[in-house]
Amino acid sequence: MIKLNPFIFAAILIFTTPFSFAAEVVNINTADAAALSTNLKGIGPKKAKAIVQYRKKHGKFKSADDLLNVPGIGPKTLNENKKWIALSGKKPLKK
């Protein structure tokens, strides 16, 4: 049996595991850009700012699918985040 140095094992594990993020449910009708970019996968500061600007211009999102109207948000990004999106409070949308 090959013995692997624990530090080398940890390094291999870190660099071969997909990066994850600490996500929690976010209300897209009240969250600021920082909360959106922190909690939604594929949403950086620029897209988060676009979400907030769209909401200010058009009013509250009535469904998560309304995010598709925001420039830079596509079906893949929406589907990856549906379990983290709320429209009111912090209760996630039903799958």
Side-chain angles (χ1 to χ4, degrees):
M1 183 173 180
I2 299 173
K3 289 191 175 187
L4 193 58
N5 181 314
F7 296 109
I8 294 173
F9 178 74
I12 291 170
L13 188 61
I14 288 170
F15 291 110
T16 60
T17 304
F19 291 98
S20 63
F21 59 102
E24 63 180 56
V25 174
V26 62
N27 181 334
I28 61 172
N29 284 318
T30 59
D32 61 13
L36 292 166
S37 65
T38 299
N39 293 294
L40 298 178
K41 184 177 180 182
I43 304 294
K46 187 175 180 180
K47 287 183 186 176
K49 186 176 177 182
I51 292 169
V52 172
Q53 288 175 338
Y54 182 90
R55 183 179 69 214
K56 285 180 180 178
K57 185 175 181 180
H58 299 280
K60 290 185 175 186
F61 294 98
K62 293 176 180 51
S63 74
D65 290 340
D66 289 345
L67 283 172
L68 295 173
N69 297 319
V70 178
I73 308 292
K76 182 179 177 185
T77 301
L78 176 62
N79 289 332
E80 288 178 341
N81 287 297
K82 279 195 173 180
K83 64 184 173 185
W84 303 112
I85 293 173
L87 296 172
S88 63
K90 290 278 192 169
K91 187 176 179 184
L93 300 172
K94 294 180 181 178
K95 291 185 179 183

